[in-house]
Amino acid sequence: MLASGILGYSAETLETIVKGGAAAVVTKSVGLKPRNGYANPTVFQTNCGLINAMGLPNSGIDEFVKEIRSAKNVLNVPLIVSVYGFSAEEYATVAEKASIAGSDAVELNVSCPHVRETGSEIGQNPEVLAEVVRKVKAVVSKPVFVKLSPNVACVADVAETAVKAGADVLVVMNTVKAMAIDSETAMPVLSNKFGGLSGAAVKPIAVRHVYDVYEKVKVPIVGCGGITSWRDAVEFLLAGASAVQIGTAVATEGSQVFKAVAEGIDAYLNRKRFRSVKEIVGLSHRK
Ligand code: RRO
């Protein structure tokens, strides 16, 4: 799947991703009201990944439902709308509108690392997180994904809270809170100072969290964090993910990365004489 936040706004760009081999697409996060996001610079390339602090730029759900409808007209794969809010009611309102417009599932962003009073500030508070999930489940009959933050003491505990509140699927994980400082200006590079690190650097962190979460809960896990090659994807499946999302590698490798990863997984399964992906989900947990 295409991870949230990468090219996730217009039907045209989502179509390019599907042509590149993605089996599902997740949109950029959308909220109740339009937001400009942060001033530039919003992205910085390190030697091992990207640090971003976009600041949730989006058109607001009432405008975005038009994109959802036109995307549904052209896409032949599931469309998952990523949703955020500043309260449980806001999450529920936005998720309901996305669902009515045709979203096949909603992904609750309770893990943006750097916007105040939403994202990980929701995800790291068990009572608030549970309320968000319950309120969304009460108004949306489609599957509810919950995208977790690595910036908490125990991701598996948060996973358990989300599942007890009704989460159908967990996405592990959002970006790792990070920053870069320019030695010449002696100032933080990003206008927001802090951002979220994605890409190759975070993959071992994400694999570890998927492994932990798989031991704790029974719902399907979608692995996300630094997947660039089929071998990275297989590692997530062996850790316990049933599917994977790719984000940063779309920027570095292009949209064909999905095809390359899917074909590589197929070749691996054939070589190892497995009949389906299901046979390797969580296989590294065997005693
Ligand atoms: O918009 C962002 O800056 C952003 C979001 Br919503 C998120 O969930 N994760 C991230 O790294 N950046």
Side-chain angles (χ1 to χ4, degrees), residues 80-286:
I80 301 162
V81 175
S82 171
V83 165
Y84 76 89
F86 291 97
S87 66
E89 289 75 19
E90 276 193 23
Y91 274 93
T93 305
V94 178
E96 188 178 20
K97 288 186 180 200
S99 174
I100 291 168
S103 176
D104 295 292
V106 292
E107 180 179 285
L108 306 183
N109 183 347
V110 292
S111 47
C112 176
H114 48 68
V115 178
R116 301 289 305 272
E117 292 170 26
T118 184
S120 58
E121 291 196 13
I122 302 248
Q124 64 203 11
N125 182 325
E127 287 90 48
V128 180
L129 172 63
E131 197 197 349
V132 166
V133 177
R134 274 197 300 268
K135 285 228 154 83
V136 171
K137 284 293 290 177
V139 293
V140 170
S141 56
K142 316 258 177 79
V144 174
F145 293 27
V146 177
K147 186 166 182 177
L148 302 178
S149 169
N151 309 305
V152 295
C154 181
V155 177
D157 284 351
V158 180
E160 196 173 34
T161 302
V163 170
K164 280 190 180 148
D168 299 296
V169 174
L170 297 174
V171 182
V172 180
M173 61 181 206
N174 207 315
T175 52
V176 177
K177 197 165 182 179
M179 78 181 297
I181 296 172
D182 184 330
S183 50
E184 295 306 314
T185 62
M187 288 294 285
V189 173
L190 299 174
S191 74
N192 184 57
K193 296 187 186 135
F194 305 110
L197 178 65
S198 60
V202 308
K203 197 197 74 182
I205 302 172
V207 169
R208 177 259 165 151
H209 288 311
V210 168
Y211 190 94
D212 267 4
V213 169
Y214 183 83
E215 300 247 311
K216 196 114 182 194
V217 301
K218 291 280 164 273
V219 302
I221 300 166
V222 179
C224 180
I227 296 168
T228 310
S229 69
W230 67 264
R231 204 182 282 281
D232 296 335
V234 164
E235 201 177 338
F236 275 88
L237 298 171
L238 295 170
S242 303
V244 294
Q245 293 182 351
I246 301 179
T248 303
V250 179
T252 57
E253 316 290 307
S255 58
Q256 298 297 315
V257 67
F258 296 98
K259 218 165 263 171
V261 167
E263 286 172 4
I265 295 172
D266 270 350
Y268 170 84
L269 295 175
N270 284 334
R271 176 161 61 82
K272 294 281 196 184
R273 308 225 178 284
F274 292 115
R275 279 161 305 180
S276 82
V277 162
K278 278 194 185 130
E279 292 187 3
I280 67 165
V281 171
L283 193 62
S284 69
H285 292 257
R286 70 191 185 282

